């Protein structure tokens, strides 16, 4: 399947579901990262640095990355932004979408959630000026907000124990954002959070997710696990 993971800025997807992205790639899915902005302005970098870091992170994770060019801090739930993302959905024709959960202290994150939900609907409209043929992704799933300290109960968690090293390496690509400013303290907090959710499902590390629309267990299993072939022999 083709899966779109959407963040307001470069590193949002990697922070909240980098291990899960790697797990889906291992299963055989195609994953596309979509950043609504390039993450600038930033207090500790420049557009050139952020571009290089986001490119390195995508390469480390093994995914394609698309940036829509909306200005950071100006990510708003507008018709134009909905159409821009809807056109991408029509182009890549993803079956599943991952994006920010609606509860988040960063306004860009909350707006991205609303834009993504509306763009999914816009993408199916037959009579519109949106480029591409109408298409409707089947499901939206939401990853955990990293900017808010509340105890949200996830709908499910994904075991990322075998991919935690890849997640660390991917996040380390954002040197200006994580390593230079606080000597890696924020990354340590992310690992602790993943450890907490891992403990909740009796694993070493896990990433939490939320769903609003019902999702059957078979579809959920297909997202994260390779199919099991059962062979019978006649006696």
């Amino acid at each position: 399947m083709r899966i779109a993971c959407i963040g307001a800025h470069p590193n949002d997807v990697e922070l909240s579901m980098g291990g899960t992205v790697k797990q889906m790639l291992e299963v055989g899915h195609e994953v596309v990262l979509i950043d609504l902005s390039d993450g600038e302005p930033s207090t500790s970098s420049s557009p050139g640095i952020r571009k290089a870091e986001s490119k390195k992170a995508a390469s480390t994770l093994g995914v394609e990355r698309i940036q829509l060019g909306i200005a950071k801090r100006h990510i708003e739930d507008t018709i134009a932004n909905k159409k821009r993302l809807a056109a991408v959905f029509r182009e890549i024709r993803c079956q599943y979408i991952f994006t920010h959960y609606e509860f988040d202290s960063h306004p860009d994150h909350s707006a991205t959630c609303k834009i993504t939900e509306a763009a999914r609907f816009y993408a199916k409209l037959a009579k519109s000026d949106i480029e591409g043929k109408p298409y409707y992704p089947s499901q939206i799933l939401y990853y955990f907000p990293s900017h808010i300290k509340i105890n949200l109960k996830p709908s499910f968690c994904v075991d990322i124990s075998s991919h935690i090293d890849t997640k660390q390496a991917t996040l380390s690509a954002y040197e200006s954002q994580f390593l230079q400013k606080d000597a890696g303290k924020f990354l340590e907090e992310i690992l602790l959070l993943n450890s907490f959710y891992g403990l909740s499902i009796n694993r070493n590390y896990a990433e939490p997710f939320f769903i609003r629309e019902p999702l059957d267990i078979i579809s959920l299993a297909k997202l994260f696990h390779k199919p099991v072939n059962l062979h019978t022999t006649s006696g």
Side-chain angles (χ1 to χ4, degrees), residues 40-209:
E40 287 296 311
S42 175
T43 57
S44 58
S45 65
S46 67
I49 291 173
R50 289 301 293 269
K51 182 178 180 179
E53 289 179 344
S54 62
K55 183 177 181 180
K56 180 179 179 181
S59 177
T60 301
L61 199 52
V63 295
E64 176 188 356
R65 165 164 257 134
I66 299 172
Q67 292 189 340
L68 297 192
I70 303 172
K72 182 182 179 182
R73 304 173 190 165
H74 293 273
I75 298 177
E76 298 174 336
D77 184 18
T78 65
I79 298 295
N81 287 339
K82 295 170 187 175
K83 287 183 176 180
R84 189 180 302 188
L85 184 56
V88 176
F89 289 158
R90 288 184 171 192
E91 178 183 357
I92 66 175
R93 309 188 84 75
C94 52
Q95 285 85 7
Y96 288 86
I97 299 169
F98 288 82
T99 193
H100 295 278
Y101 196 50
E102 61 180 329
F103 297 115
D104 202 304
S105 59
H106 198 310
D108 282 358
H109 293 184
S110 300
T112 297
C113 177
K114 293 179 180 179
I115 292 168
T116 302
E117 291 175 333
R120 176 196 180 204
F121 185 87
Y122 275 40
K124 73 175 182 177
L125 299 177
K127 294 183 178 181
S128 74
D129 58 355
I130 301 171
E131 292 185 8
K133 295 181 180 180
Y135 180 76
Y136 190 61
S138 62
Q139 190 86 21
I140 296 184
L141 302 92
Y142 305 88
Y143 52 76
F144 190 85
S146 58
H147 282 75
I148 191 167
K149 307 300 183 184
I150 60 176
N151 187 20
L152 296 171
K153 185 177 181 180
S155 302
F156 64 90
C157 295
V158 177
D159 178 15
I160 63 164
S161 302
S162 60
H163 303 301
I164 194 65
D165 290 341
T166 300
K167 178 171 183 174
Q168 287 183 276
T170 301
L171 294 177
S172 294
Y174 294 102
E175 184 175 352
S176 68
Q177 302 302 302
F178 303 136
L179 301 183
Q180 293 179 359
K181 290 195 296 186
D182 58 10
K185 181 181 178 181
F186 184 64
L187 295 186
E188 292 178 6
E189 292 176 355
I190 293 298
L191 291 178
L192 285 173
L193 186 65
N194 292 156
S195 179
F196 168 78
Y197 283 104
L199 181 64
S200 72
I201 61 170
N202 198 30
R203 298 293 188 272
N204 291 328
Y205 297 97
E207 291 169 336
F209 295 89

